[in-house]
Amino acid sequence: MNDTVLLAAHGLVRYYGARQALFDVDIVLARGEILGLLGQNGAGKSTTLQILCGALAAHGGRVEIGGHALASAARQAKALLGYLPEIPPLYRDMRVDDYLVACARVHGVAANAAAQAVARARQRCGLNDVGARLVSHLSKGYQQRVGIAQAIVHEPQVLVLDEPTAGLDPAQIRDVRELIRELGRERAIIVSTHILPEVRALASRFMILHHGRVVHDAPASGMRRLRVRTRHTPGAAALAAIAGVTEVTASPRGWLLTVDGEPEAAAEAFAVAAVAAGWGVLEIDPDFDDLEHLFMELTSGAAASAAA
Amino acid sequence: MTSFAALFTLESQRLFRRPLAWLVLCLGAALMALFYMMLMVRYLDNEPQLRAAGVTAELLVRYFGSAALIALLLTPLITMQAIASDQRDGMLRFLFSTPASSAHIVFAKLAAVLCLVGLLWAIIALMPLTLLWGAPIDLGVYATNLLGLALFMIMHACLGVMCSALTRQPVAAAMFALVVSLSLWLAEFAQRLDRDSNLLGGISTLTRLRGFALGVLNFADMVYFSALALVCAAVAVWAVEGTRRYA
């Protein structure tokens, strides 16, 4: 990960009438980071994202994108930003290519580079076959893809995606996740979603908002775990020796292995070790329960009330 | 190219793709052709009596009087979707996330609307030129009428965009613009009821157009239309920026 901070927001406050919707929200995001923003409905996720994009003014705090203050250098800051709102922003009476060219031009892409930028975005989002079609004639899934294409057409450094896989079929969801991972290598990305496995699959950091406050903000590395179950007990030391495993915890249904990279890579290493040692593998499962438990604990019941 | 120019291109493309835009242009052209024909028939039928006043006064001036009223009625149909539909569909929030400022957004939409309004103005302007083949018309009066109509239409375009910025419902924006436009038009009639008051006559667009119709270029009339247009545009920018700040 590159440590260049691309997005920094400090002390964000927002009111809707007399009701305070955000309380001193801080977000710092470096190049190469993908932040998963979680929260129940009404927690303040969309408000936060809109403030980060300049679509909504904050009533307190400041936002910097690529070192440019959103308040005083909005043009430079917003040129570095791509935004996909919860409902894709589409002009339904336009053709896909015309719409993407317009989005590229509004974001400052030169006329002679716009066609190439659109071709690249179209390719990445699987829109090559629908460039000449009217947006209103596309299915919901394709419209969502056009929404993603408009967010990346100008090659922004910071991407803000609100429910990016809404309305997509499983194959499209897989493709979009892969695209986000690819884009996330050189950019800073915020993904807001209700789908916990999606955040788990994508994010390098989790942030949980509840009643407008940040109640959790930590790297995902500590949350990446595998649950494994074997016929013969291998022992904690043997499991800890597997590549990528940083911590081993016994659980009622086998072992929980905390990993520092992709859970899939650790799962493969575990399988190889288990076969070699003859442990008799019964189950290998990336464990998503940790995130779900944490989310439920922080956003409901007594803990949530105390935090709020 | 600035974000303003890019937005202007986008808005123009969208506006001219809408069937309503072409419908308004066709309706405007058809109505003006109808008025023109009626005035022509009236003149030819009563030529001995009307010859003293001349073609310019009896045909051209009346034609431009009708044109102003037609423009007043049609402009809200052109402007009603300018900002209101973007507010309703969430597109305004998207535009806020682009490098374009609120002023860019409003003026790009206004410029696109003015292109269509300009087309309607050009159609209206070209029709009476056919008189040049058979009758002497005062080109000076023709020019002042064109200028007056242009200022009148620009002002009403700004008024329509302002109304569109103040609501999320295009139909409400059109009705709002129509009520304000007609109030300004009819203020002169109210002034006739209260002859001591100059205020109502002063704010009446009908009164302000009279000088242009008679071939008189009055600086105060030009300032009146320009100032109203600027105020409406400024209120539209304020309303759009207010949506970002306080909505």
Side-chain angles (χ1 to χ4, degrees):
Chain A
M1 182 193 299
N2 188 323
D3 286 340
T4 309
V5 172
L6 289 179
L7 186 146
H10 297 287
L12 297 184
V13 172
R14 172 75 198 191
Y15 291 88
Y16 289 110
R19 186 177 72 84
Q20 188 165 357
L22 285 186
F23 298 81
D24 292 322
V25 171
D26 295 334
I27 298 177
V28 177
L29 209 55
R31 188 188 300 278
E33 269 194 301
I34 300 178
L35 174 69
L37 188 62
L38 296 165
Q40 294 176 333
N41 287 334
K45 302 191 297 296
S46 290
T47 299
T48 303
L49 297 187
Q50 288 186 34
I51 288 174
L52 294 178
C53 297
L56 204 61
H59 294 148
R62 61 192 164 84
V63 178
E64 284 184 13
I65 299 169
H68 304 289
L70 198 54
S72 57
R75 181 185 295 248
Q76 293 89 333
K78 289 177 181 178
L80 300 174
L81 186 90
Y83 175 42
L84 172 69
E86 192 172 355
I87 298 169
L90 303 172
Y91 288 120
R92 300 172 64 80
D93 50 1
M94 293 185 79
R95 297 185 191 284
V96 172
D97 278 354
D98 293 342
Y99 171 66
L100 292 178
V101 166
C103 289
R105 303 284 285 124
V106 170
H107 278 96
V109 176
N112 55 6
Q116 197 180 351
V118 168
R120 196 167 47 236
R122 222 174 38 198
Q123 170 75 28
R124 278 175 159 168
C125 297
L127 294 167
N128 278 338
D129 298 335
V130 298
R133 289 178 61 182
L134 283 175
V135 171
S136 60
H137 291 178
L138 298 178
S139 67
K140 190 171 187 301
Y142 268 105
Q143 289 186 359
Q144 184 73 11
R145 287 203 246 177
V146 176
I148 296 171
Q150 68 74 27
I152 64 172
V153 69
H154 55 292
E155 297 285 334
Q157 294 297 299
V158 178
L159 258 178
V160 176
L161 307 173
D162 201 350
E163 305 280 357
T165 58
L168 301 181
D169 65 37
Q172 291 169 340
I173 289 174
R174 186 196 61 206
D175 292 345
V176 168
R177 285 180 184 172
E178 190 50 47
L179 173 64
I180 293 171
R181 275 195 206 98
E182 181 197 325
L183 294 169
R185 289 187 197 115
E186 288 300 320
R187 295 170 176 80
I189 300 182
I190 301 181
V191 179
S192 169
T193 176
H194 289 104
I195 308 168
L196 297 184
E198 181 157 291
V199 178
R200 191 77 163 77
L202 289 173
S204 54
R205 243 176 71 204
F206 301 127
M207 177 178 282
I208 299 177
L209 280 178
H210 187 62
H211 291 326
R213 289 184 166 86
V214 177
V215 292
H216 178 81
D217 182 10
S221 53
M223 307 282 294
R224 285 183 174 157
R225 295 193 192 192
L226 286 179
R227 183 196 287 140
V228 298
R229 195 155 62 92
T230 54
R231 189 176 304 282
H232 308 292
T233 308
L239 292 171
I242 294 169
V245 175
T246 57
E247 191 182 334
V248 178
T249 313
S251 86
R253 294 188 61 214
W255 299 87
L256 288 175
L257 310 183
T258 304
V259 299
D260 64 358
E262 291 295 320
E264 290 79 8
E268 189 181 346
F270 168 79
V272 169
V275 169
W279 294 335
V281 178
L282 297 177
E283 186 180 352
I284 304 176
D285 183 27
D287 178 43
F288 302 127
D289 287 347
D290 277 1
L291 183 57
E292 190 176 335
H293 287 157
L294 181 68
F295 182 78
M296 295 308 293
E297 185 185 322
L298 291 172
T299 60
S300 61
S305 302
Chain B
M1 185 154 95
T2 64
S3 51
F4 167 78
L7 267 180
F8 166 65
T9 307
L10 170 66
E11 292 299 331
S12 303
Q13 284 178 355
R14 292 189 61 220
L15 188 62
F16 282 96
R17 277 201 179 97
R18 287 183 188 140
L20 183 64
W22 296 104
L23 195 69
V24 168
L25 277 182
C26 291
L27 188 63
L31 287 172
M32 288 318 302
L34 184 67
F35 276 115
Y36 185 52
M37 191 182 71
M38 286 164 58
L39 287 169
M40 186 79 84
V41 169
R42 175 180 167 274
Y43 185 83
L44 293 173
D45 285 352
N46 304 287
E47 195 177 5
Q49 297 95 317
L50 299 177
R51 189 178 293 161
V55 177
T56 302
E58 285 300 327
L59 215 157
L60 195 72
V61 172
R62 287 177 188 275
Y63 170 82
F64 276 105
S66 309
L69 191 59
I70 295 297
L72 182 152
L73 295 172
L74 292 183
T75 306
L77 294 176
I78 298 172
T79 57
M80 66 180 187
Q81 289 186 314
I83 297 172
S85 59
D86 274 4
Q87 293 209 55
R88 184 193 56 198
D89 301 339
M91 292 304 291
L92 201 56
R93 290 252 175 263
F94 165 67
L95 292 176
F96 287 148
S97 73
T98 69
S101 66
S102 296
H104 282 160
I105 293 169
V106 170
F107 281 103
K109 287 174 179 290
L110 181 59
V113 161
L114 285 175
C115 285
L116 192 61
V117 168
L119 213 51
L120 183 60
W121 175 83
I123 291 169
I124 294 170
L126 287 174
M127 224 175 282
L129 287 181
T130 53
L131 288 173
L132 288 173
W133 272 290
I137 59 168
D138 187 332
L139 289 176
V141 174
Y142 172 73
T144 57
N145 271 282
L146 277 186
L147 178 63
L149 183 65
L151 289 171
F152 180 84
M153 290 174 80
I154 290 170
M155 190 277 279
H156 280 85
C158 293
L159 176 67
V161 169
M162 179 193 80
C163 293
S164 187
L166 293 172
T167 173
R168 290 168 177 261
Q169 300 301 327
V171 174
M175 296 307 292
F176 184 20
L178 196 59
V179 167
V180 176
S181 302
L182 282 174
S183 301
L184 287 173
W185 179 268
L186 297 173
E188 186 185 81
F189 296 100
Q191 196 248 340
R192 287 177 192 170
L193 300 174
D194 180 12
R195 290 185 182 278
D196 294 336
S197 168
N198 288 325
L199 177 67
L200 290 171
I203 63 166
S204 169
T205 48
L206 185 59
T207 309
R208 294 291 180 179
L209 272 178
R210 189 152 294 126
F212 293 103
L214 299 173
V216 178
L217 274 185
N218 189 335
F219 184 69
D221 293 337
M222 287 192 275
V223 168
Y224 166 80
F225 283 117
S226 306
L228 260 186
L230 283 175
V231 167
C232 291
V235 172
V237 173
W238 171 79
V240 167
E241 181 60 18
T243 304
R244 197 178 76 83
R245 288 183 185 277
Y246 306 110

